[in-house]
Amino acid sequence: MLIDTHTHMNHSAFDEDRAEALERARAQGVSQIINIGFNRETIPTSIALAEQYDYVYTTVGWHPQDAIDMQPGDVEWLEELSRHPKVVAIGEIGLDYYWDTSPKDVQKRVFREQIRLARRLGLPISIHNRDAHHDVVQILREERAAEVGGVMHCFSGSWETAKQCLDMNFYISFGGPVTFKNAKQPKEVLQQVPLDRLLIETDAPYLTPHPHRGKRNETGYVRLVAEAAAELVGLSLEELAAVTAANAKRLFRRLP
Ligand SMILES: [Zn+2]
Ligand SMILES: [Zn+2]
């Protein structure tokens, strides 16, 4: 029973074989998938995927890279869509200082507005953070995100940053990089995260785990992430799967 807590199976990379890729995930022991809808195009297709497959759930949110495209009325649009029974979180939202597609002040405003939305709705949040650790933590704190909690998706920061997020009621999620030989920091941080706050994900089609690195990632590869994580914390694959699935259900309260 594996839960991929962050994937993009509605991405065009799967247009040729989406059904087969989802079938392969089931064969790998994936019981539930949280697909991420993060802008005007991907939110409707992510909801559609969740409506098509009973084990697929979705989020709705505005990605920091697309922050500049958010129009007046879009927060209300997200609020309306969040009433859909298969929407389990607001996200992915956050800050991305690596790709310079939206100005920082716009990213920050859009991030804050959506934390406020999540608090109004009582939904957890899925956080995207790239090269913006300090500002992400500060905004989560100022906007009292601890009231709803959430997950730091594909965490790439230091233990110090992880600790600050754990203190705010957040879970820490790891993906493909923990399977890489040379990825020292995410492995060390994973080993320090309390087991009851640990989540796993693929972020497919990106961040493909070893030994498929360089090719397209898919949601069934969450098993490879789980195997690597299990080894790092000294659990069996079954134990790691059970612990992280229980964590996912505690955080994403709408997951059955
Ligand atoms: Zn992301
Ligand atoms: Zn993502």
Side-chain angles (χ1 to χ4, degrees), residues 76-194:
E76 289 73 17
W77 183 56
L78 295 177
E79 179 159 4
E80 203 179 299
L81 293 174
S82 72
R83 294 196 198 102
H84 192 292
K86 298 204 84 179
V87 172
V88 298
I90 298 297
E92 56 186 297
I93 63 174
L95 301 174
D96 193 318
Y97 292 170
Y98 181 82
W99 299 106
D100 214 10
T101 49
S102 290
K104 285 184 185 178
D105 59 322
V106 178
Q107 290 192 36
K108 288 180 184 175
R109 176 176 51 77
V110 164
F111 185 25
R112 285 183 191 275
E113 280 175 4
Q114 294 183 95
I115 300 170
R116 289 172 200 166
L117 171 67
R119 286 181 47 221
R120 269 206 309 282
L121 298 166
L123 281 173
I125 51 188
S126 179
I127 300 292
H128 173 99
N129 165 20
R130 191 148 185 207
D131 296 349
H133 307 301
H134 175 270
D135 289 0
V136 164
V137 168
Q138 189 184 345
I139 289 174
L140 287 175
R141 206 172 270 153
E142 287 175 3
E143 297 295 337
R144 289 179 283 142
E147 287 176 19
V148 285
V151 52
M152 308 304 291
H153 115 76
C154 204
F155 189 76
S156 62
S158 64
W159 167 244
E160 195 192 351
T161 303
K163 182 82 181 53
Q164 291 169 331
C165 299
L166 289 165
D167 287 345
M168 282 187 289
N169 212 7
F170 272 66
Y171 290 68
I172 313 288
S173 180
F174 295 90
V178 296
T179 68
F180 301 164
K181 268 197 184 65
N182 55 358
K184 206 163 159 256
Q185 182 169 270
K187 289 181 184 173
E188 285 176 1
V189 174
L190 189 154
Q191 288 175 312
Q192 292 179 82
V193 170

Side-chain angles (χ1 to χ4, degrees), residues 48-69:
L49 196 68
E51 286 175 340
Q52 195 182 349
Y53 294 91
D54 60 350
Y55 55 92
V56 177
Y57 294 81
T58 183
T59 67
V60 296
W62 219 273
H63 197 285
Q65 275 176 256
D66 297 300
I68 195 79
D69 300 325

Side-chain angles (χ1 to χ4, degrees), residues 6-8 36 38 63 92 126 128 153-154 201 203-204 206:
H6 189 114
T7 189
H8 302 276
I36 307 294
F38 61 85
H63 197 285
E92 56 186 297
S126 179
H128 173 99
H153 115 76
C154 204
E201 64 170 272
D203 204 16
Y206 316 106

